[in-house]
Short mmCIF file of all heavy atoms in Angstrom, two decimals:
data_model
loop_
_atom_site.label_atom_id
_atom_site.label_comp_id
_atom_site.label_asym_id
_atom_site.label_seq_id
_atom_site.Cartn_x
_atom_site.Cartn_y
_atom_site.Cartn_z
N HIS Q 242 99.49 96.63 90.73
CA HIS Q 242 98.08 96.28 91.03
C HIS Q 242 97.92 95.62 92.33
O HIS Q 242 96.74 95.24 92.81
CB HIS Q 242 97.64 95.26 89.96
CG HIS Q 242 98.47 93.90 89.94
ND1 HIS Q 242 99.63 93.90 89.43
CD2 HIS Q 242 98.14 92.71 90.51
CE1 HIS Q 242 100.12 92.67 89.62
NE2 HIS Q 242 99.23 91.98 90.25
N TYR Q 243 98.93 95.53 93.18
CA TYR Q 243 98.80 95.00 94.52
C TYR Q 243 98.05 96.06 95.35
O TYR Q 243 98.48 97.27 95.49
CB TYR Q 243 100.16 94.85 95.26
CG TYR Q 243 100.99 93.70 94.69
CD1 TYR Q 243 100.72 93.05 93.56
CD2 TYR Q 243 102.03 93.22 95.46
CE1 TYR Q 243 101.52 92.00 93.12
CE2 TYR Q 243 102.88 92.11 95.00
CZ TYR Q 243 102.56 91.56 93.84
OH TYR Q 243 103.37 90.57 93.35
N GLY Q 244 96.92 95.69 95.93
CA GLY Q 244 96.20 96.74 96.68
C GLY Q 244 96.80 97.21 97.96
O GLY Q 244 96.38 98.32 98.44
N ASN Q 245 97.69 96.45 98.51
CA ASN Q 245 98.34 96.83 99.83
C ASN Q 245 99.59 97.66 99.72
O ASN Q 245 100.14 98.15 100.71
CB ASN Q 245 98.68 95.53 100.55
CG ASN Q 245 99.72 94.61 99.81
OD1 ASN Q 245 99.55 94.51 98.53
ND2 ASN Q 245 100.57 94.13 100.53
N ILE Q 246 100.03 97.89 98.52
CA ILE Q 246 101.32 98.65 98.27
C ILE Q 246 101.06 99.92 97.52
O ILE Q 246 100.55 99.88 96.40
CB ILE Q 246 102.36 97.70 97.57
CG1 ILE Q 246 102.66 96.48 98.41
CG2 ILE Q 246 103.65 98.53 97.37
CD1 ILE Q 246 103.58 95.53 97.76
N HIS Q 247 101.43 101.06 98.07
CA HIS Q 247 101.52 102.30 97.33
C HIS Q 247 102.88 102.41 96.81
O HIS Q 247 103.87 102.42 97.36
CB HIS Q 247 101.14 103.43 98.35
CG HIS Q 247 101.26 104.75 97.78
ND1 HIS Q 247 100.40 105.30 96.83
CD2 HIS Q 247 102.14 105.88 97.95
CE1 HIS Q 247 100.70 106.47 96.46
NE2 HIS Q 247 101.75 106.83 97.16
N VAL Q 248 102.84 102.72 95.44
CA VAL Q 248 104.08 102.75 94.66
C VAL Q 248 104.37 104.05 94.08
O VAL Q 248 103.39 104.73 93.53
CB VAL Q 248 104.12 101.69 93.54
CG1 VAL Q 248 105.53 101.71 92.83
CG2 VAL Q 248 103.80 100.33 94.02
N ILE Q 249 105.51 104.64 94.24
CA ILE Q 249 105.98 105.94 93.67
C ILE Q 249 107.10 105.51 92.73
O ILE Q 249 108.22 105.17 93.14
CB ILE Q 249 106.40 106.99 94.73
CG1 ILE Q 249 105.20 107.19 95.71
CG2 ILE Q 249 106.90 108.18 94.10
CD1 ILE Q 249 105.60 108.08 96.91
N LEU Q 250 106.88 105.86 91.51
CA LEU Q 250 107.95 105.55 90.43
C LEU Q 250 108.66 106.91 90.33
O LEU Q 250 107.98 107.92 89.90
CB LEU Q 250 107.33 105.08 89.16
CG LEU Q 250 108.31 105.03 88.02
CD1 LEU Q 250 109.46 104.00 88.27
CD2 LEU Q 250 107.60 104.66 86.73
N LEU Q 251 109.88 106.98 90.42
CA LEU Q 251 110.69 108.19 90.20
C LEU Q 251 110.75 108.48 88.69
O LEU Q 251 110.95 107.55 87.80
CB LEU Q 251 112.12 107.96 90.73
CG LEU Q 251 112.31 107.74 92.19
CD1 LEU Q 251 113.66 107.44 92.55
CD2 LEU Q 251 111.85 108.95 93.00
N GLY Q 252 110.46 109.70 88.33
CA GLY Q 252 110.49 110.10 87.00
C GLY Q 252 111.86 110.38 86.53
O GLY Q 252 112.84 110.23 87.20
N GLY Q 253 112.03 110.71 85.26
CA GLY Q 253 113.37 111.10 84.69
C GLY Q 253 113.60 110.31 83.42
O GLY Q 253 112.73 109.95 82.69
N ASN Q 254 114.89 110.29 83.11
CA ASN Q 254 115.26 109.56 81.90
C ASN Q 254 115.11 108.12 82.10
O ASN Q 254 115.09 107.54 83.22
CB ASN Q 254 116.71 109.79 81.60
CG ASN Q 254 117.10 111.23 81.38
OD1 ASN Q 254 116.34 111.97 80.68
ND2 ASN Q 254 118.18 111.72 82.00
N ILE Q 255 114.91 107.37 80.98
CA ILE Q 255 114.60 105.90 81.10
C ILE Q 255 115.68 105.18 80.44
O ILE Q 255 116.03 105.44 79.25
CB ILE Q 255 113.22 105.55 80.42
CG1 ILE Q 255 112.15 106.20 81.19
CG2 ILE Q 255 113.07 104.05 80.42
CD1 ILE Q 255 110.70 106.09 80.48
N ASP Q 256 116.26 104.16 81.12
CA ASP Q 256 117.16 103.10 80.56
C ASP Q 256 116.26 102.05 80.03
O ASP Q 256 115.78 101.26 80.87
CB ASP Q 256 118.17 102.75 81.55
CG ASP Q 256 119.10 101.60 80.96
OD1 ASP Q 256 118.59 100.73 80.33
OD2 ASP Q 256 120.39 101.78 81.24
N HIS Q 257 115.91 102.02 78.80
CA HIS Q 257 114.91 101.04 78.25
C HIS Q 257 115.42 99.60 78.38
O HIS Q 257 114.66 98.66 78.73
CB HIS Q 257 114.63 101.33 76.76
CG HIS Q 257 113.88 102.62 76.58
ND1 HIS Q 257 112.51 102.70 76.86
CD2 HIS Q 257 114.31 103.87 76.26
CE1 HIS Q 257 112.16 103.89 76.71
NE2 HIS Q 257 113.19 104.63 76.30
N TRP Q 258 116.80 99.40 78.22
CA TRP Q 258 117.34 98.08 78.27
C TRP Q 258 117.22 97.53 79.70
O TRP Q 258 116.76 96.37 79.86
CB TRP Q 258 118.75 98.09 77.87
CG TRP Q 258 119.35 96.76 77.85
CD1 TRP Q 258 120.28 96.25 78.73
CD2 TRP Q 258 119.15 95.76 76.89
NE1 TRP Q 258 120.56 94.95 78.46
CE2 TRP Q 258 119.92 94.62 77.26
CE3 TRP Q 258 118.49 95.61 75.73
CZ2 TRP Q 258 119.98 93.41 76.53
CZ3 TRP Q 258 118.51 94.40 75.01
CH2 TRP Q 258 119.25 93.38 75.38
N ASN Q 259 117.53 98.26 80.71
CA ASN Q 259 117.54 97.73 82.06
C ASN Q 259 116.23 98.07 82.83
O ASN Q 259 116.14 97.79 83.97
CB ASN Q 259 118.76 98.19 82.80
CG ASN Q 259 120.03 97.64 82.18
OD1 ASN Q 259 120.18 96.48 82.18
ND2 ASN Q 259 120.88 98.49 81.70
N GLN Q 260 115.34 98.78 82.24
CA GLN Q 260 114.04 99.18 82.83
C GLN Q 260 114.12 99.97 84.06
O GLN Q 260 113.52 99.65 85.15
CB GLN Q 260 113.30 97.88 83.02
CG GLN Q 260 112.82 97.28 81.62
CD GLN Q 260 111.75 98.10 80.96
OE1 GLN Q 260 110.68 98.25 81.48
NE2 GLN Q 260 112.11 98.70 79.81
N PHE Q 261 114.92 101.07 84.17
CA PHE Q 261 114.89 101.92 85.27
C PHE Q 261 114.98 103.36 84.82
O PHE Q 261 115.36 103.72 83.72
CB PHE Q 261 116.02 101.61 86.25
CG PHE Q 261 117.45 101.78 85.70
CD1 PHE Q 261 118.04 103.02 85.59
CD2 PHE Q 261 118.21 100.72 85.40
CE1 PHE Q 261 119.34 103.15 85.05
CE2 PHE Q 261 119.57 100.89 84.97
CZ PHE Q 261 120.04 102.16 84.74
N THR Q 262 114.67 104.26 85.80
CA THR Q 262 114.73 105.70 85.55
C THR Q 262 116.00 106.23 86.22
O THR Q 262 116.47 105.65 87.22
CB THR Q 262 113.55 106.43 86.06
OG1 THR Q 262 113.35 106.25 87.54
CG2 THR Q 262 112.20 105.99 85.44
N TYR Q 263 116.50 107.34 85.73
CA TYR Q 263 117.71 107.97 86.29
C TYR Q 263 117.79 109.38 85.93
O TYR Q 263 116.91 109.97 85.19
CB TYR Q 263 118.97 107.25 85.78
CG TYR Q 263 119.17 107.46 84.32
CD1 TYR Q 263 120.02 108.41 83.87
CD2 TYR Q 263 118.47 106.69 83.37
CE1 TYR Q 263 120.22 108.62 82.48
CE2 TYR Q 263 118.65 106.81 82.01
CZ TYR Q 263 119.53 107.77 81.61
OH TYR Q 263 119.80 107.97 80.26
N GLY Q 264 118.79 110.10 86.41
CA GLY Q 264 118.95 111.48 85.98
C GLY Q 264 118.46 112.51 87.00
O GLY Q 264 118.04 112.18 88.08
N ASP Q 265 118.69 113.82 86.65
CA ASP Q 265 118.36 114.84 87.46
C ASP Q 265 116.84 114.93 88.02
O ASP Q 265 116.58 115.22 89.23
CB ASP Q 265 118.60 116.24 86.85
CG ASP Q 265 120.09 116.56 86.72
OD1 ASP Q 265 120.91 115.82 87.35
OD2 ASP Q 265 120.42 117.43 85.82
N ASP Q 266 115.96 114.63 87.14
CA ASP Q 266 114.59 114.49 87.50
C ASP Q 266 114.25 113.46 88.67
O ASP Q 266 113.65 113.71 89.56
CB ASP Q 266 113.61 114.36 86.39
CG ASP Q 266 113.54 115.58 85.44
OD1 ASP Q 266 113.83 116.66 85.90
OD2 ASP Q 266 113.24 115.45 84.23
N ALA Q 267 114.88 112.37 88.41
CA ALA Q 267 114.77 111.21 89.39
C ALA Q 267 115.36 111.56 90.70
O ALA Q 267 114.78 111.44 91.83
CB ALA Q 267 115.41 109.94 88.87
N ILE Q 268 116.57 112.24 90.69
CA ILE Q 268 117.25 112.69 91.89
C ILE Q 268 116.47 113.77 92.65
O ILE Q 268 116.25 113.65 93.89
CB ILE Q 268 118.72 113.16 91.61
CG1 ILE Q 268 119.46 112.02 90.96
CG2 ILE Q 268 119.32 113.74 92.80
CD1 ILE Q 268 119.68 110.77 91.89
N ASN Q 269 115.94 114.72 91.93
CA ASN Q 269 115.26 115.78 92.50
C ASN Q 269 113.94 115.31 93.19
O ASN Q 269 113.60 115.69 94.25
CB ASN Q 269 114.86 116.89 91.50
CG ASN Q 269 116.13 117.71 91.13
OD1 ASN Q 269 117.09 117.84 91.90
ND2 ASN Q 269 116.11 118.29 89.96
#
């Protein structure tokens, strides 16, 4: 929600416990 920052979240698999994405889709 910060108006000054454009954020791109890498897609892919989700590690729910540590709250991050990973895997081939994220790398591509």
Side-chain angles (χ1 to χ4, degrees):
H242 64 280
Y243 290 16
N245 60 319
I246 300 177
H247 176 67
V248 183
I249 299 170
L250 174 63
L251 298 172
N254 299 318
I255 297 174
D256 180 313
H257 293 282
W258 181 256
N259 294 301
Q260 291 290 293
F261 64 75
T262 60
Y263 67 95
D265 289 343
D266 289 336
I268 298 299
N269 288 335

